[in-house]
Coordinates of all heavy atoms in Angstrom, one line a residue:
M1 N 95.0 102.5 100.5 CA 94.9 103.8 99.8 C 94.4 103.7 98.4 O 94.7 102.7 97.7 CB 96.3 104.4 99.8 CG 96.3 105.9 99.4 SD 97.9 106.5 98.9 CE 99.0 105.9 100.2
N2 N 93.6 104.6 98.0 CA 93.1 104.6 96.6 C 93.9 105.6 95.7 O 94.5 106.5 96.2 CB 91.6 105.0 96.6 CG 90.8 103.8 97.1 OD1 91.2 102.7 97.1 ND2 89.6 104.2 97.6
C3 N 93.7 105.4 94.4 CA 94.4 106.3 93.5 C 93.8 107.7 93.6 O 92.6 107.9 93.5 CB 94.2 105.8 92.1 SG 94.7 107.0 90.8
F4 N 94.6 108.7 93.7 CA 94.2 110.1 93.9 C 93.5 110.6 92.6 O 92.5 111.3 92.6 CB 95.4 111.0 94.2 CG 95.0 112.4 94.6 CD1 94.6 112.7 95.9 CD2 95.0 113.4 93.6 CE1 94.3 114.0 96.2 CE2 94.7 114.7 94.0 CZ 94.3 115.0 95.3
D5 N 94.1 110.2 91.4 CA 93.6 110.7 90.2 C 92.2 110.1 89.9 O 91.3 110.7 89.3 CB 94.6 110.5 89.0 CG 95.7 111.4 89.1 OD1 95.6 112.5 89.8 OD2 96.8 111.1 88.5
C6 N 92.1 108.8 90.2 CA 90.8 108.1 90.0 C 89.7 108.7 90.9 O 88.5 108.8 90.6 CB 90.9 106.6 90.2 SG 91.7 105.8 88.9
Q7 N 90.1 109.1 92.2 CA 89.2 109.6 93.1 C 88.6 110.9 92.6 O 87.4 111.2 92.8 CB 90.0 109.9 94.4 CG 89.1 110.0 95.7 CD 88.7 108.6 96.1 OE1 89.5 107.7 96.2 NE2 87.4 108.4 96.3
D8 N 89.4 111.7 91.8 CA 88.9 112.9 91.2 C 87.7 112.6 90.2 O 86.8 113.4 90.0 CB 90.0 113.5 90.3 CG 90.7 114.7 91.1 OD1 90.2 115.0 92.2 OD2 91.6 115.2 90.5
L9 N 87.7 111.4 89.6 CA 86.7 111.0 88.7 C 85.6 110.1 89.4 O 84.8 109.5 88.7 CB 87.3 110.1 87.6 CG 88.6 110.7 86.9 CD1 89.3 109.7 86.0 CD2 88.2 111.9 86.0
D10 N 85.7 110.1 90.7 CA 84.7 109.4 91.5 C 84.8 107.9 91.3 O 83.8 107.2 91.4 CB 83.3 109.9 91.3 CG 82.9 111.1 92.1 OD1 83.5 111.2 93.2 OD2 82.1 111.9 91.7
I11 N 86.0 107.4 91.0 CA 86.2 105.9 90.9 C 87.2 105.6 92.0 O 88.2 106.3 92.2 CB 86.9 105.6 89.5 CG1 86.1 106.2 88.4 CG2 87.0 104.1 89.4 CD1 86.9 106.2 87.1
A12 N 86.9 104.5 92.7 CA 87.8 104.0 93.8 C 88.7 102.9 93.2 O 88.2 101.8 93.0 CB 87.0 103.5 95.0
T13 N 89.9 103.2 92.9 CA 90.9 102.2 92.4 C 92.0 102.1 93.4 O 92.6 103.1 93.8 CB 91.4 102.7 91.0 OG1 90.4 103.0 90.2 CG2 92.2 101.5 90.4
P14 N 92.3 100.9 93.8 CA 93.5 100.7 94.8 C 94.8 101.3 94.1 O 95.0 101.0 93.0 CB 93.6 99.2 95.0 CG 92.3 98.7 94.5 CD 91.7 99.6 93.5
A15 N 95.5 102.0 94.9 CA 96.8 102.5 94.5 C 97.9 101.4 94.5 O 97.9 100.6 95.4 CB 97.2 103.7 95.4
V16 N 98.7 101.4 93.4 CA 99.8 100.4 93.4 C 101.1 101.1 93.5 O 102.2 100.5 93.6 CB 99.8 99.7 92.0 CG1 98.5 98.8 91.9 CG2 99.9 100.6 90.8
A17 N 101.1 102.5 93.5 CA 102.4 103.2 93.6 C 102.1 104.5 94.3 O 101.0 105.0 94.4 CB 103.0 103.4 92.3
I18 N 103.2 105.2 94.7 CA 103.1 106.5 95.3 C 104.0 107.4 94.5 O 105.1 107.1 94.1 CB 103.8 106.5 96.8 CG1 103.2 105.4 97.6 CG2 103.7 107.8 97.4 CD1 101.8 105.7 98.2
C19 N 103.4 108.6 94.1 CA 104.1 109.6 93.4 C 105.3 110.0 94.2 O 105.2 110.4 95.3 CB 103.2 110.7 93.0 SG 104.1 112.1 92.2
R20 N 106.5 110.0 93.5 CA 107.7 110.4 94.2 C 107.7 111.9 94.6 O 108.4 112.3 95.5 CB 108.9 110.1 93.2 CG 110.2 110.3 93.7 CD 110.7 109.0 94.4 NE 112.2 109.1 94.6 CZ 112.7 109.9 95.6 NH1 111.9 110.6 96.3 NH2 114.0 109.9 95.8
V21 N 107.0 112.7 93.8 CA 107.0 114.1 94.0 C 106.0 114.6 95.0 O 106.3 115.3 96.0 CB 106.9 114.8 92.6 CG1 106.9 116.3 92.8 CG2 108.1 114.4 91.8
C22 N 104.7 114.3 94.7 CA 103.7 114.8 95.6 C 103.1 113.9 96.6 O 102.4 114.3 97.5 CB 102.5 115.4 94.7 SG 101.5 114.1 93.9
G23 N 103.5 112.6 96.5 CA 103.1 111.6 97.5 C 101.7 111.1 97.3 O 101.2 110.3 98.2
A24 N 101.1 111.4 96.2 CA 99.7 110.9 96.0 C 99.8 109.4 95.6 O 100.7 108.9 95.0 CB 99.1 111.6 94.8
G25 N 98.8 108.6 96.0 CA 98.7 107.2 95.6 C 98.2 107.2 94.2 O 97.3 107.9 93.8
V26 N 98.8 106.3 93.3 CA 98.3 106.2 92.0 C 98.1 104.8 91.6 O 98.9 103.9 92.0 CB 99.3 106.9 91.0 CG1 99.1 108.4 90.9 CG2 100.8 106.5 91.3
C27 N 97.1 104.5 90.7 CA 96.9 103.2 90.2 C 97.8 102.9 89.0 O 98.5 103.8 88.6 CB 95.4 103.1 89.8 SG 95.0 104.0 88.3
H28 N 97.8 101.7 88.5 CA 98.7 101.3 87.4 C 98.4 102.2 86.2 O 99.3 102.6 85.5 CB 98.5 99.9 87.1 CG 99.5 99.4 86.1 ND1 99.2 99.3 84.8 CD2 100.8 98.9 86.3 CE1 100.3 98.8 84.2 NE2 101.3 98.6 85.1
R29 N 97.2 102.6 86.0 CA 96.8 103.4 84.8 C 97.4 104.8 84.9 O 97.7 105.4 83.9 CB 95.3 103.4 84.7 CG 94.8 103.8 83.3 CD 93.4 103.3 83.1 NE 92.5 103.9 84.1 CZ 91.9 105.1 83.9 NH1 92.1 105.8 82.8 NH2 91.1 105.6 84.8
H30 N 97.4 105.3 86.1 CA 97.8 106.7 86.3 C 99.3 106.9 86.6 O 99.8 108.0 86.6 CB 97.0 107.4 87.4 CG 95.6 107.8 86.9 ND1 94.4 107.3 87.4 CD2 95.2 108.6 85.8 CE1 93.4 107.8 86.7 NE2 93.9 108.6 85.8
A31 N 99.9 105.8 87.0 CA 101.4 105.9 87.4 C 102.2 106.1 86.1 O 101.9 105.5 85.1 CB 101.8 104.6 88.1
R32 N 103.2 106.9 86.2 CA 104.1 107.2 85.1 C 105.5 106.8 85.6 O 105.9 107.4 86.6 CB 104.1 108.6 84.6 CG 102.7 109.1 84.2 CD 102.4 108.7 82.8 NE 101.1 109.2 82.3 CZ 100.0 108.5 82.5 NH1 100.0 107.3 83.2 NH2 98.8 109.0 82.1
T33 N 106.3 106.0 84.8 CA 107.6 105.8 85.3 C 108.6 106.6 84.5 O 108.4 106.9 83.3 CB 108.0 104.3 85.0 OG1 107.8 104.0 83.6 CG2 107.1 103.4 85.8
R34 N 109.6 107.2 85.2 CA 110.6 108.0 84.5 C 111.9 107.4 84.9 O 112.2 107.1 86.1 CB 110.5 109.4 85.1 CG 109.1 110.0 85.0 CD 108.8 110.8 83.9 NE 109.6 112.1 83.9 CZ 109.6 113.0 82.9 NH1 108.9 112.8 81.9 NH2 110.3 114.1 83.0
P35 N 112.8 107.3 84.0 CA 114.2 106.8 84.3 C 114.9 107.9 85.1 O 114.7 109.1 84.8 CB 114.8 106.5 83.0 CG 114.1 107.4 82.0 CD 112.7 107.6 82.5
R36 N 115.7 107.5 86.0 CA 116.5 108.4 86.8 C 118.0 108.0 86.6 O 118.3 106.9 87.2 CB 116.1 108.5 88.2 CG 116.7 109.7 88.9 CD 116.1 109.9 90.3 NE 116.7 109.0 91.3 CZ 117.6 109.3 92.2 NH1 118.0 110.6 92.2 NH2 118.1 108.5 93.0
V37 N 118.8 108.8 85.9 CA 120.2 108.4 85.7 C 120.9 108.8 87.0 O 120.8 109.9 87.5 CB 120.7 109.1 84.5 CG1 122.2 108.8 84.3 CG2 119.9 108.7 83.3
L38 N 121.7 107.8 87.5 CA 122.5 108.0 88.7 C 123.9 108.4 88.3 O 124.5 107.9 87.5 CB 122.5 106.8 89.5 CG 121.1 106.3 90.0 CD1 121.2 105.0 90.7 CD2 120.4 107.3 90.8
H39 N 124.4 109.4 89.1 CA 125.8 109.8 88.9 C 126.6 109.5 90.1 O 126.0 109.5 91.2 CB 125.8 111.3 88.6 CG 125.1 111.7 87.3 ND1 125.6 111.4 86.1 CD2 123.9 112.3 87.1 CE1 124.8 111.9 85.2 NE2 123.7 112.4 85.8
E40 N 127.8 109.4 89.9 CA 128.7 109.0 91.0 C 130.0 109.8 90.9 O 130.6 109.9 89.8 CB 129.0 107.5 90.9 CG 129.7 106.9 92.1 CD 129.8 105.4 91.9 OE1 130.1 105.0 90.8 OE2 129.5 104.7 92.9
L41 N 130.4 110.4 92.0 CA 131.6 111.1 92.0 C 132.8 110.2 92.1 O 132.9 109.4 93.1 CB 131.6 112.1 93.1 CG 132.2 113.5 92.9 CD1 131.6 114.1 91.6 CD2 131.9 114.4 94.1
T42 N 133.7 110.2 91.1 CA 134.8 109.3 91.2 C 136.1 110.1 91.2 O 136.0 111.4 91.1 CB 134.9 108.3 89.9 OG1 135.1 109.1 88.8 CG2 133.6 107.5 89.8
G43 N 137.2 109.5 91.2 CA 138.5 110.2 91.3 C 138.7 111.1 90.0 O 139.3 112.2 90.1
T44 N 138.2 110.7 88.9 CA 138.4 111.4 87.7 C 137.3 112.3 87.3 O 137.3 112.9 86.2 CB 138.7 110.4 86.5 OG1 137.6 109.4 86.5 CG2 140.0 109.6 86.7
G45 N 136.2 112.3 88.1 CA 135.1 113.2 87.7 C 133.8 112.5 88.0 O 133.7 111.8 88.9
L46 N 132.8 112.9 87.1 CA 131.5 112.3 87.3 C 131.3 111.1 86.4 O 131.4 111.2 85.2 CB 130.5 113.4 87.0 CG 129.1 113.4 87.6 CD1 129.2 113.4 89.2 CD2 128.2 114.5 87.1
A47 N 130.9 110.0 87.0 CA 130.6 108.8 86.2 C 129.1 108.6 86.2 O 128.5 108.7 87.3 CB 131.4 107.6 86.8
T48 N 128.6 108.2 85.1 CA 127.2 107.9 85.0 C 127.1 106.4 85.2 O 127.7 105.6 84.5 CB 126.6 108.3 83.6 OG1 126.8 109.7 83.5 CG2 125.2 108.0 83.6
K49 N 126.2 106.0 86.1 CA 126.0 104.6 86.3 C 125.3 104.0 85.0 O 124.5 104.6 84.3 CB 125.0 104.3 87.5 CG 125.6 104.9 88.8 CD 125.8 103.8 89.8 CE 126.2 104.4 91.1 NZ 126.7 103.4 92.0
P50 N 125.7 102.7 84.7 CA 125.2 102.1 83.5 C 123.7 101.9 83.4 O 123.1 101.9 82.3 CB 126.0 100.8 83.4 CG 126.4 100.5 84.8 CD 126.6 101.9 85.4
R51 N 123.1 101.7 84.5 CA 121.6 101.5 84.5 C 120.9 102.6 85.2 O 121.3 103.2 86.2 CB 121.3 100.2 85.2 CG 121.9 99.0 84.5 CD 121.6 97.7 85.3 NE 120.2 97.5 85.4 CZ 119.7 96.3 85.3 NH1 120.4 95.3 85.0 NH2 118.4 96.1 85.5
A52 N 119.7 103.0 84.6 CA 118.9 104.1 85.2 C 118.0 103.5 86.2 O 117.5 102.4 86.1 CB 118.1 104.7 84.1
A53 N 117.8 104.2 87.3 CA 116.9 103.8 88.3 C 115.5 104.2 87.9 O 115.3 104.9 86.9 CB 117.2 104.5 89.7
R54 N 114.5 103.9 88.7 CA 113.1 104.1 88.3 C 112.5 105.1 89.3 O 112.7 105.0 90.5 CB 112.3 102.9 88.3 CG 110.9 103.1 88.0 CD 110.2 101.8 87.8 NE 110.2 100.9 89.0 CZ 109.8 99.7 89.1 NH1 109.4 99.1 88.0 NH2 109.9 99.0 90.2
R55 N 111.8 106.1 88.8 CA 111.0 107.0 89.6 C 109.5 106.8 89.2 O 109.2 106.7 88.0 CB 111.3 108.4 89.3 CG 112.7 108.8 89.7 CD 113.1 110.1 89.2 NE 112.4 111.2 89.9 CZ 111.9 112.3 89.3 NH1 112.1 112.5 88.1 NH2 111.4 113.3 90.1
L56 N 108.6 106.8 90.1 CA 107.2 106.7 89.8 C 106.6 108.0 90.1 O 106.7 108.6 91.2 CB 106.6 105.6 90.6 CG 106.8 104.2 90.1 CD1 106.5 103.1 91.1 CD2 106.0 103.9 88.8
L57 N 105.8 108.6 89.1 CA 105.2 109.8 89.3 C 103.7 109.7 88.9 O 103.3 108.9 88.1 CB 105.8 110.9 88.4 CG 107.3 111.2 88.6 CD1 107.7 112.4 87.7 CD2 107.6 111.6 90.0
C58 N 102.9 110.6 89.4 CA 101.5 110.7 89.0 C 101.5 111.5 87.7 O 102.5 112.1 87.3 CB 100.6 111.4 90.0 SG 101.0 113.1 90.3
G59 N 100.4 111.5 87.0 CA 100.3 112.3 85.7 C 100.5 113.8 85.9 O 101.1 114.4 85.0
T60 N 100.0 114.3 87.0 CA 100.2 115.8 87.2 C 101.6 116.1 87.3 O 102.1 117.1 86.7 CB 99.4 116.1 88.5 OG1 98.1 115.7 88.4 CG2 99.5 117.6 88.8
C61 N 102.4 115.4 88.1 CA 103.8 115.7 88.3 C 104.6 115.4 87.0 O 105.5 116.2 86.7 CB 104.3 115.0 89.5 SG 103.6 115.5 91.0
T62 N 104.2 114.4 86.3 CA 104.9 114.1 85.0 C 104.7 115.3 84.1 O 105.7 115.8 83.4 CB 104.4 112.9 84.4 OG1 104.4 111.8 85.3 CG2 105.2 112.5 83.1
A63 N 103.5 115.8 84.0 CA 103.2 116.9 83.1 C 103.9 118.2 83.6 O 104.5 118.9 82.8 CB 101.7 117.2 83.1
A64 N 104.0 118.4 84.9 CA 104.7 119.6 85.4 C 106.2 119.5 85.1 O 106.8 120.5 84.7 CB 104.5 119.7 86.9
E65 N 106.8 118.3 85.2 CA 108.2 118.2 85.0 C 108.6 118.3 83.5 O 109.6 118.8 83.2 CB 108.7 116.8 85.5 CG 108.8 116.8 87.0 CD 109.8 115.7 87.4 OE1 110.3 114.9 86.6 OE2 110.0 115.6 88.7
S66 N 107.6 117.9 82.7 CA 108.0 118.0 81.2 C 107.5 119.3 80.7 O 107.5 119.5 79.5 CB 107.4 116.8 80.5 OG 106.0 116.6 80.8
G67 N 107.0 120.2 81.5 CA 106.6 121.5 81.1 C 105.3 121.6 80.3 O 105.1 122.6 79.6
G68 N 104.5 120.5 80.3 CA 103.3 120.5 79.5 C 102.1 120.8 80.2 O 101.7 120.6 81.2
Ligands
ZN1 ZN1 94.0 106.0 88.8
ZN2 ZN1 102.5 113.7 91.9

């Protein structure tokens, strides 16, 4: 699979990741990592896990999520 965003620019770059939201293949240059904080329901309420997981998004979805 090639990077979807590079394909738009007529460049064929192998994809190294898949956007978590839209499923597009993205190269290293176009992939955006976003931390995802995990919550866990415990007896006393909601506990936040100490480490954030990783989400990989394309530039389009990152912009859409951050409202820009
Ligand atoms: Zn790309
Ligand atoms: Zn996307």
